[in-house]
Amino acid sequence: MNKRDLLYEGKAKRVYVTDNEDIVWIEYKDSATAFNGEKKAEIAGKGKLNNEITSLLFKMLQENGIQSHFLKKISTTEQIVQRVEIIPLEVIVRNYAAGSFSKRFGVEEGKLFDRPIVEFCLKNDTLGDPTITEDQIDVLHIASLEEIQHLKRKALAVNRVLSDFFRELGIRLVDFKLEFGKDFSGEILLADEISPDTCRLWDLKTNEKLDKDVFRHDLGNLTTAYETILERLGGKQHA
Ligand code: C5P
């Protein structure tokens, strides 16, 4: 498989086409961004950590019956995935109050909800990824009501598997963001990444934050936090 032209460059990844039209090549960058790109830094080793962690989590989900675009990790910072057209929605699942939920509704961080909740945001940097309702998604033809229900069911299924998996490792899955795409046949597939950039992960006993909030709020060293996650997942940090 050969890497060809750059298809897309995001804040944390570059996506290249390959000589197989159904497969794209993803390169994880060392860039860290927060607050819609207002805060930026280059953090050596971050790309490796997120590639490693995402690969392990997608493999674990596949073993638990949750398919995704993930095919194979091909180097410390690269993976190949099935090509999909990303549905421009951020699908957010929350188990505990934190982040924008706590801020918007004045709810104490760490409050456990009666049940997990799903929220949607429109993926649009210019607009600052605004929250969007199911009706708004439907009338804007971003996804049908049926597809929205499918996204919610899938996101909650991912939450069940991920929450149990992380709990076993002494980690609380507070909330996370997923993205989905449509493959060449129109089937909806879990895509993008699942990493400490896209999840809130707290130590179960101490509530120490082991995710991008460390960078967002200057709480310590991002690399150390992400390495802790990778170590608990049983992964090795390659040189
Ligand atoms: O900021 P907020 O509380 O809405 O974030 C909820 C979850 O979604 C967090 O785990 C956060 O890291 C993730 N998220 C993300 N990308 C965004 C917005 C939120 O990964 N653009």
Side-chain angles (χ1 to χ4, degrees):
M1 169 107 20
N2 292 301
K3 183 165 97 176
R4 293 268 166 87
D5 295 344
L6 181 69
L7 184 65
Y8 169 80
E9 177 156 7
K11 292 193 275 274
K13 298 185 284 294
R14 288 186 198 92
V15 182
Y16 297 87
V17 288
T18 66
D19 37 20
N20 181 331
E21 62 179 5
D22 294 330
I23 295 178
V24 292
W25 184 298
I26 298 188
E27 206 176 85
Y28 280 71
K29 305 197 291 186
D30 281 342
S31 316
T33 62
F35 310 120
N36 200 24
E38 271 172 44
K39 182 170 177 169
K40 284 186 206 154
E42 284 300 300
I43 300 178
K46 175 176 173 285
K48 267 195 290 196
L49 285 158
N50 278 352
N51 182 44
E52 196 89 41
I53 292 169
T54 293
S55 300
L56 284 167
L57 291 176
F58 275 143
K59 259 191 251 170
M60 183 280 293
L61 287 172
Q62 274 169 10
E63 284 159 16
N64 284 278
I66 296 175
Q67 301 308 318
S68 70
H69 74 160
F70 179 77
L71 295 171
K72 197 170 189 263
K73 178 163 88 73
I74 50 170
S75 82
T76 54
T77 55
E78 297 161 300
Q79 52 182 253
I80 49 168
V81 304
Q82 210 169 306
R83 185 168 184 169
V84 294
E85 192 173 331
I86 294 288
I87 300 169
L89 291 173
E90 298 190 333
V91 183
I92 293 172
V93 180
R94 300 181 193 271
N95 295 304
Y96 298 82
S100 69
F101 187 98
S102 291
K103 203 169 159 190
R104 266 184 290 150
F105 303 114
V107 178
E108 190 190 348
E109 245 202 9
K111 184 192 176 330
L112 174 65
F113 297 133
D114 295 344
R115 59 177 179 86
I117 58 166
V118 181
E119 290 171 16
F120 296 97
C121 291
L122 178 68
K123 230 176 102 72
N124 183 316
D125 283 343
T126 317
L127 301 175
D129 300 334
T131 53
I132 187 164
T133 66
E134 296 179 21
D135 283 344
Q136 289 164 342
I137 294 170
D138 181 41
V139 297
L140 290 173
H141 302 295
I142 297 165
S144 68
L145 291 174
E146 201 177 301
E147 285 171 337
I148 297 167
Q149 292 317 309
H150 180 80
L151 294 176
K152 282 173 84 170
R153 275 198 306 276
K154 283 269 176 210
L156 289 170
V158 170
N159 184 47
R160 281 191 290 276
V161 175
L162 267 190
S163 291
D164 288 351
F165 181 73
F166 275 123
R167 197 176 305 110
E168 295 276 303
L169 306 174
I171 297 164
R172 190 188 310 281
L173 179 60
V174 173
D175 59 29
F176 58 96
K177 184 261 308 183
L178 299 176
E179 292 183 24
F180 293 85
K182 282 187 184 171
D183 71 9
F184 58 89
S185 69
E187 199 194 328
I188 292 180
L189 214 51
L190 176 62
D192 195 50
E193 67 176 284
I194 305 180
S195 73
D197 267 11
T198 63
C199 302
R200 284 198 174 89
L201 302 166
W202 297 357
D203 181 273
L204 207 50
K205 287 203 187 111
T206 65
N207 281 335
E208 183 190 357
K209 292 179 173 158
L210 300 168
D211 56 61
K212 199 158 92 174
D213 272 351
V214 169
F215 170 73
R216 289 189 188 103
H217 306 298
D218 299 315
L219 302 176
N221 188 301
L222 175 141
T223 314
T224 311
Y226 287 27
E227 274 168 358
T228 305
I229 296 296
L230 180 58
E231 273 162 28
R232 294 216 196 156
L233 289 170
K236 284 185 289 294
Q237 171 63 326
H238 300 286

